[in-house]
Amino acid sequence: KQEVTQIPAALSVPEGENLVLNCSFTDSAIYNLQWFRQDPGKGLTSLLLIQSSQREQTSGRLNASLDKSSGRSTLYIAASQPGDSATYLCAVVMINTGTASKLTFGTGTRLQVTL
Amino acid sequence: DGGITQSPKYLFRKEGQNVTLSCEQNLNHDAMYWYRQDPGQGLRLIYYSQIVNDFQKGDIAEGYSVSREKKESFPLTVTSAQKNPTAFYLCASTNIGYGNTIYFGEGSWLTVV
């Protein structure tokens, strides 16, 4: 069974700091790993998707890396801003030759960027 | 615009009632998913489907039912057998394979009164 873990569970940083969020998974038979942002009471917004054959993806101040062999991904946020405050979740899509493929989510990292 | 539409956004249920949450997507995705999220908690998988007329139970399927009669629609019924249904419900869709993005709806809040 795929297990996805995110560390830390919560993080508070002052504005302008660079930070790293971690995601680890136990089964490397995945198609993709995707990072999401969730604001309170809202749905999930996709940030970055990394295919299993890729090492990293970048979008603006965000950079996500993937090391499939070790079961780890990191989300790097440069020059953090108060608007980055949200919960960040990672999800993996399992390769399944039988029935439908599960999406497995981590429990998230709650980020607060202070002024 | 393409996307996933969940309705209603807010729903109140009386004890003993069944309620149905709607999820519609126009992204031509094969796979659709329902998740439950309790305050301050992660997402828990209720049901998922990769093809019309086929679906599988997730980790917390008891007290819930689904149907997949059309590719674009995956409604979730919260039955009276679900003892603690108050939660935030999220629907997602994707095409399974390399490089395919997972999309989410805006969610539905269900409260038992």
Side-chain angles (χ1 to χ4, degrees):
Chain A
K1 179 183 176 183
Q2 177 76 274
E3 305 265 351
V4 180
T5 305
Q6 290 187 245
I7 295 173
L11 182 63
S12 181
V13 300
E15 182 179 13
E17 271 203 9
N18 302 327
L19 58 103
V20 174
L21 308 180
N22 297 290
C23 172
S24 61
F25 49 95
T26 55
D27 189 335
S28 62
I30 63 171
Y31 286 113
N32 312 301
L33 185 143
Q34 192 166 346
W35 282 93
F36 294 87
R37 168 188 174 134
Q38 186 178 30
D39 294 291
K42 301 290 186 182
L44 277 67
T45 301
S46 178
L47 297 173
L48 288 165
L49 179 146
I50 311 178
Q51 294 183 46
S52 62
S53 60
Q54 296 175 328
R55 298 286 292 182
E56 65 178 306
Q57 286 287 332
T58 298
S59 176
R61 294 183 294 108
L62 305 179
N63 176 277
S65 68
L66 174 64
D67 184 344
K68 196 175 74 166
S69 61
S70 66
R72 294 183 179 179
S73 176
T74 60
L75 179 66
Y76 175 83
I77 302 176
S80 58
Q81 303 170 357
D84 295 330
S85 298
T87 297
Y88 290 80
L89 298 100
C90 65
V92 295
V93 183
M94 294 290 298
I95 294 174
N96 187 339
T97 57
T99 56
S101 293
K102 281 190 178 182
L103 313 177
T104 305
F105 284 82
T107 52
T109 295
R110 190 170 64 255
L111 172 65
Q112 183 174 12
V113 180
T114 58
L115 292 169
Chain B
D1 288 347
I4 302 178
T5 301
Q6 288 188 239
S7 62
K9 187 163 179 65
Y10 300 97
L11 185 60
F12 297 89
R13 191 194 92 169
K14 293 182 180 179
E15 295 278 354
Q17 276 186 340
N18 292 353
V19 293
T20 297
L21 308 180
S22 170
C23 178
E24 303 276 333
Q25 52 97 0
N26 60 5
L27 300 165
N28 200 32
H29 286 165
D30 291 315
M32 297 186 74
Y33 303 81
W34 274 106
Y35 291 89
R36 169 180 172 143
Q37 188 176 36
D38 293 283
Q41 304 297 313
L43 278 68
R44 292 188 289 168
L45 180 63
I46 305 173
Y47 269 98
Y48 57 113
S49 165
Q50 195 162 339
I51 193 170
V52 173
N53 293 323
D54 187 53
F55 46 83
Q56 284 76 44
K57 293 183 179 180
D59 302 317
I60 56 165
E62 185 176 351
Y64 299 97
S65 66
V66 292
S67 63
R68 187 84 188 276
E69 297 177 1
K70 298 186 297 181
K71 184 176 184 178
E72 58 270 22
S73 179
F74 192 39
L76 174 73
T77 297
V78 185
T79 75
S80 57
Q82 171 50 239
K83 297 307 178 188
N84 185 22
T86 295
F88 187 49
Y89 291 87
L90 285 160
C91 178
S93 73
T94 188
N95 281 324
I96 298 299
Y98 295 100
N100 292 320
T101 301
I102 304 163
Y103 291 88
F104 275 85
E106 286 294 310
S108 294
W109 287 95
L110 173 62
T111 303
V112 173
V113 295

